[in-house]
Amino acid sequence: VHSESRLRVRYKETDQMGIAHHANYIVWFEIGRTDLCRATGFPYNEIEQRGFILVVTDVQCRYRIPFRYDDEVVIRTRVHELGSRAIRFAYDLCDASETLHATGMTSHVWLDEKTRKPVRADADVMRAFAPWVSALSRDA
Amino acid sequence: VHSESRLRVRYKETDQMGIAHHANYIVWFEIGRTDLCRATGFPYNEIEQRGFILVVTDVQCRYRIPFRYDDEVVIRTRVHELGSRAIRFAYDLCDASETLHATGMTSHVWLDEKTRKPVRADADVMRAFAPWVSALSRDA
Amino acid sequence: VHSESRLRVRYKETDQMGIAHHANYIVWFEIGRTDLCRATGFPYNEIEQRGFILVVTDVQCRYRIPFRYDDEVVIRTRVHELGSRAIRFAYDLCDASETLHATGMTSHVWLDEKTRKPVRADADVMRAFAPWVSALSRDA
Amino acid sequence: VHSESRLRVRYKETDQMGIAHHANYIVWFEIGRTDLCRATGFPYNEIEQRGFILVVTDVQCRYRIPFRYDDEVVIRTRVHELGSRAIRFAYDLCDASETLHATGMTSHVWLDEKTRKPVRADADVMRAFAPWVSALSRDA
C-alpha cells in the first residue's frame, strides 16, 4: 500500500552539475507525505487545523541515479511504522519506466501546535493511517 | 544611506546554466531588507512581534551580469519610498570589486498580523526607518 | 493563446506568515515557460541541445491575493513579445475558481550556450513560438 | 579538526510552522563542505576545474531543536572518512551559545566530470584533505 505522486524536475531544481540538486529529494518526500495524507482522508492541512503538527526528527536519503531537468519523478510513499507518538514514512523515487533512482525514510513526532510539546496522535488520524502501514519496501 | 549585506552564492543556488538561478535574487533582496531593518534598530522579528507583517505587493529585478557559484554578492539596500501604509525598498547587487550585477525594487504594505488587513505602520517603526530613505540609486 | 500549468503549493514553499513565499512565484513562472515551450513543440531541453540558452534579463511580479499550503495554482503563460533576439513572457496565476492571485512578466535574450554571447533565435524555434504571441492580458 | 561556517536563517527558509524548514539543513551542510574545501586549500570550484565532481550518495540528518528566522546557525564540518573513491563528511549545527540543534552525515563519490564514471580522487586533493579527517564527533 503506497500513495503515488508525480512531478517534473524544475529548472530551478537543477544545479551546475546538470542534475537535480540532492536537497530537492527531501522536498519531494514531503510532497509524497502530503499526497499520502490526502489519500488517508486526512489532508495534512486538517491535521494542523486539529492542533497537531508533525515535525521531522530524522531524514535519510540514498541516491542511486540522478534526475535531470524536466524528468518525470514518481514518488511512492508508505507508512513504514505507525506509533501513537511517532511515525516513519518510506519513499521510493522512480522514473516513468519504473527504474529506482533513490530511496528514503523520514521520522516524525506529533507535537501540540500551541505548546510545541510531544503528544499522542489524534485517534481519528491514527485510524485513518493504520491501513497504510506497509513495512515492505521495494528493496526488501 | 544604505545597508550592506554580504553572502556567497550557494551550490544549491546554481542551475544547469552554471550560474546563480534568477529566483535567488529575490531571496537576496529579502536578506538585504532583514539587515536594513536590523540597522534601523528594528529587527524584522520585533516588527512581527508588535503585530505587523510587511507583505510584498510588487517585485522587479533587472539582471545584467550573472553570479556564479561561490562568488561574493554584496547587497546594498535602501528605503526608496516610505509611507505610513506602504514602503518601497531598492537594491543593488554588486560583486567584491564593485561591479553592478543586478538592481531591484520591492513594494510592501503593512498588515495587521491577526486580521491581515492593511494598517498604518507603527509610529516607532516609521521614526526608525525615516533616516534611511534615499531615493538616489547608484543608477541615477 | 496561452498554455496552462497546474501545481499545488508545497509545504516547503510556505513561510512563517503562513502563505506561499513570494520568491516561489518566479519559479512558478518558469514552470509556465517550460510547459509553454513543450506546447510549441520545442521542449526547452531541445532548445538547449541546439546550443541556445534563454537567459532572464528582467522579472516583474505583482502580488494580489496570497496562496496557501496545498492550494492549487493555475499558471497561464503567454508569449507577450517575440523578437529574434529577445522574448517576453506574461503570466497570470489563478486559483481553481479562476480568481486572479498574481500577474507577472519576464524578459529574456537568446545566448549561444558555448560563447554566452547574444545571438538570433533558431529559425525553427521562432516559427514554433510565433502562433503563441498574445499581447492581450487578462488585465487588459 | 573542523571548519566553521556561520549564517542566519533566511525568512525564505522558514515554513508555516514558524521554524526553519528541515530541507534547508541539507543545504547548510553543503555550505559547510564548501567552507571546509576552501580551508583545505582546495576550493570546490578548483576541484571541478580539475575535472572532478563530488556527487552525494547518502544524506542523513537528525533534528533536535528547531532554528527560527534570523537565528544564527554555526556549522561545524569534519571529514569523517577519507578514501580515494569515497568521502564522508559529518556536521554539527549549533547556535551562537553552542547548543547543538542537529547533526548530519553525507557520503560522496568522486566522478569524472566528463564521463560521469567513478574515479580515484586527485592526489593533490587527497593530500589536502588528509589532515582534516576527524572521526570523533562532538556526540562521541
Side-chain angles (χ1 to χ4, degrees), chain A residues 2-75:
Chain A
H2 62 254
S3 79
E4 193 176 292
S5 314
R6 280 164 191 269
L7 54 85
R8 280 180 182 277
V9 176
R10 301 171 170 194
Y11 203 90
K12 173 67 164 70
E13 292 175 329
T14 64
D15 66 21
Q16 71 179 38
M17 282 185 200
I19 60 177
H21 188 274
H22 61 280
N24 296 301
Y25 291 52
I26 310 305
V27 179
W28 299 341
F29 292 167
E30 189 169 60
I31 293 172
R33 286 197 300 282
T34 287
D35 288 343
L36 187 145
C37 288
R38 198 190 327 277
T40 68
F42 265 100
Y44 181 69
N45 254 332
E46 235 175 88
I47 294 175
E48 288 204 349
Q49 280 153 20
R50 287 188 174 216
F52 295 90
I53 59 175
L54 195 55
V55 299
V56 179
T57 56
D58 256 288
V59 157
Q60 291 171 48
C61 185
R62 172 154 300 189
Y63 303 85
R64 296 157 181 248
I65 305 172
F67 285 104
R68 295 178 184 280
Y69 166 59
D70 212 28
D71 280 356
E72 197 174 27
V73 179
V74 181
I75 310 166

Side-chain angles (χ1 to χ4, degrees), chain C residues 110-121:
Chain C
W110 295 104
L111 296 189
D112 179 289
E113 196 271 333
K114 290 261 164 39
T115 65
R116 301 284 162 128
K117 301 277 183 212
V119 288
R120 287 182 188 282

Side-chain angles (χ1 to χ4, degrees), chain B residues 7-8 10-13 24 27-28 30-31 34-35 38 43-45 48 53 69-71, chain D residues 7-8 10-13 24 27-28 30-31 34-35 38 43-45 48 53 69-71:
Chain B
L7 54 84
R8 280 180 181 276
R10 301 171 169 193
Y11 203 91
K12 172 69 164 69
E13 292 175 330
N24 296 301
V27 179
W28 299 343
E30 188 169 61
I31 293 172
T34 287
D35 288 343
R38 199 191 326 278
Y44 181 70
N45 254 333
E48 288 205 349
I53 58 177
Y69 166 59
D70 213 29
D71 279 356
Chain D
L7 55 85
R8 279 181 181 276
R10 301 171 170 193
Y11 203 91
K12 173 67 164 70
E13 292 174 330
N24 295 302
V27 178
W28 298 342
E30 188 169 62
I31 292 173
T34 287
D35 288 343
R38 197 189 331 276
Y44 181 69
N45 253 334
E48 287 204 351
I53 58 176
Y69 166 59
D70 213 30
D71 280 355

